Amino acid sequence: MSDTIKIGIIGSGGIAGAHVNAYKKMSDVEIVAVTDVIEGKAEEFIKQHDLQGAKAFTGHEALLEEELDGVSICTPNVAHHQTTIDALRAGKHVLVEKPMSVTLEQAIEMVEVERETGLILTIGFQPRYDPNMKELNRIVQSGELGHVYYVETGGGRRRGMPGGTFIRKDLAGAGALADIGCYSLDFALNALGYPKPVTVSAYGSNHFGTNPKYHPQADQFEVEDFGVALIRFETGQVLNFKISWAMHMDSLGAGLFLGTDAGLKVQPAGQGPWSGVWDGGIGSMTIYHDLLGHHTESAVPVINHGLDIFYEKVRDFAVAVKEGKEAPIPTKEIIRNQAIIDGILRSADQQREVDIVLPKDM
């Protein structure tokens, strides 16, 4: 491979701009092509971001015929599956935005094609690059808490409902679950080492999104704006999950890790209507334990940093492509995240507990 890697951008919506801004900071990356299904949109995007020399396409198939090392897939959720498969089979490494797919079956096929081609497929979970998230993982995995038997994750925006493609079931597949719920799941599951889920019992609703008092596109709102679930794992551990785009409450509480030797409480960073979910950083961490018979609380210092975690995510992908490394955020983990989202949607729809069935090697 040459010193400069060639990247294509599939989908030219808002998140594509964040990918381009990250790539443009890298001297060893060249964006050579952009595509969008809407006629003329890729051309406008290229001009807007001053991507001199980049070619514009309508439809990803033509872009994949170009000489590219990798692609960023920034399409609506419903297109993640087929676009990823087409890119891998065309010999391109792939960074696909979260969520991984719409259904578990789609995610399984994506992993199968990834293995078949031997190429990189990584999923866009930038909160992992926050130094405080890394410290959280270190604490949980150190054994300091003992056996972690119960975890609580999720959170809520008092108001934070998007519109457009995010609220259409045919394009997004799911609402708050796919948008911010996948981050909340990763927050907990990554710390636990991604145990295999076996059952889920869930509830979902969209009382706010379908009410014109709260959403200007209420007549087009087709997905959930609130969800809760209890997830059981092969390890015997349980996860209490909750997520909300809108609610009459300031918070759904902190993240909790209950262990046999100690407990950990994690508050999300930020204030205001958009805070309280794990697409942001960490506000505080406290360990609760006994010391010489006394109930004791130990504050974990929060790391103040100016790290651009989105850039770190995109850079990690570029380095993996250039140096032949493994996927930075591997599908062997995120497929279990997708399996839980799939299970929550099925359970909420059927109003009962459902099994989560994954292939033995996933």
Side-chain angles (χ1 to χ4, degrees):
M1 185 176 293
S2 68
D3 291 338
T4 300
I5 62 173
K6 296 180 179 180
I7 294 291
I9 308 293
I10 300 178
S12 61
I15 199 66
H19 281 251
V20 166
N21 290 338
Y23 283 127
K24 288 180 73 174
K25 295 176 183 177
M26 306 174 199
S27 60
D28 56 352
V29 172
E30 180 186 3
I31 298 172
V32 300
V34 178
T35 183
D36 199 284
V37 295
I38 299 174
E39 188 74 42
K41 194 175 177 184
E43 287 91 341
E44 291 177 14
F45 185 87
I46 288 170
K47 290 177 183 177
Q48 178 188 353
H49 292 276
D50 193 27
L51 300 176
Q52 297 180 15
K55 296 181 182 179
F57 296 93
T58 304
H60 68 276
E61 294 87 353
L63 176 142
L64 293 174
E65 293 177 4
E66 294 293 301
E67 187 181 331
L68 302 170
D69 298 302
V71 295
S72 275
I73 295 178
C74 306
T75 64
N77 301 344
V78 71
H80 286 184
H81 161 248
Q82 192 60 54
T83 310
T84 294
I85 286 174
D86 290 347
L88 290 171
R89 287 191 169 146
K92 321 304 183 189
H93 299 290
V94 174
L95 165 57
V96 61
E97 266 301 327
K98 58 78 186 170
M100 184 174 176
S101 61
V102 171
T103 68
L104 175 57
E105 290 74 20
Q106 290 175 345
I108 289 170
E109 186 178 5
M110 290 163 74
V111 173
E112 288 173 343
V113 175
E114 173 197 22
R115 292 176 178 177
E116 168 194 316
T117 60
L119 294 166
I120 294 168
L121 172 55
T122 190
I123 320 297
F125 281 78
Q126 68 271 6
R128 286 196 183 193
Y129 292 89
D130 187 309
N132 292 294
M133 289 289 190
K134 293 181 178 181
E135 182 65 6
L136 161 69
N137 292 348
R138 192 175 76 89
I139 292 169
V140 174
Q141 294 167 14
S142 71
E144 189 68 26
L145 306 182
H147 170 63
V148 177
Y149 55 91
Y150 172 86
V151 179
E152 197 165 316
T153 188
R157 299 168 174 170
R158 187 166 183 173
R159 293 291 184 278
M161 294 180 287
T165 61
F166 285 87
I167 63 172
R168 287 177 52 179
K169 197 163 189 177
D170 64 328
L171 293 178
L177 274 172
D179 181 34
I180 55 178
C182 63
Y183 284 139
S184 293
L185 288 170
D186 193 62
F187 157 84
L189 298 175
N190 193 34
L192 295 176
Y194 259 95
K196 197 169 191 175
V198 291
T199 66
V200 60
S201 181
Y203 164 85
S205 64
N206 58 5
H207 298 303
F208 286 81
T210 56
N211 187 336
K213 179 179 177 181
Y214 300 112
H215 201 289
Q217 296 174 286
D219 60 338
Q220 302 170 45
F221 203 100
E222 301 171 338
V223 294
E224 83 292 339
D225 59 41
F226 176 81
V228 292
L230 182 72
I231 302 112
R232 297 180 182 275
F233 297 91
E234 210 172 50
T235 55
Q237 296 164 304
V238 292
L239 173 64
N240 183 356
F241 167 79
K242 53 208 172 178
I243 203 71
S244 178
W245 266 345
M247 59 183 177
H248 289 307
M249 189 54 59
D250 62 337
S251 170
L252 287 174
L256 303 177
F257 294 81
L258 299 187
T260 52
D261 295 333
L264 177 66
K265 178 185 282 187
V266 188
Q267 295 284 5
Q271 300 293 327
W274 287 82
S275 66
V277 291
W278 297 113
D279 53 348
I282 285 174
S284 68
M285 288 190 281
T286 307
I287 296 175
Y288 293 79
H289 55 114
D290 291 350
L291 180 63
L292 300 175
H294 300 286
H295 296 320
T296 306
E297 300 174 16
S298 300
V300 178
V302 173
I303 303 166
N304 294 316
H305 65 90
L307 200 65
D308 181 344
I309 59 175
F310 199 96
Y311 170 84
E312 295 298 321
K313 171 185 76 174
V314 179
R315 182 59 189 165
D316 222 8
F317 169 64
V319 170
V321 170
K322 188 174 182 179
E323 299 182 4
K325 294 183 176 180
E326 293 184 356
I329 299 177
T331 56
K332 66 183 180 183
E333 296 172 356
I334 306 305
I335 192 171
R336 296 183 177 187
N337 189 305
Q338 193 65 46
I340 291 172
I341 293 174
D342 181 272
I344 290 172
L345 292 170
R346 288 187 292 113
S347 175
D349 181 60
Q350 298 174 29
Q351 299 184 39
R352 64 177 182 86
E353 183 176 75
V354 299
D355 292 331
I356 297 176
V357 181
L358 276 161
K360 288 184 179 180
D361 59 350
M362 296 184 191

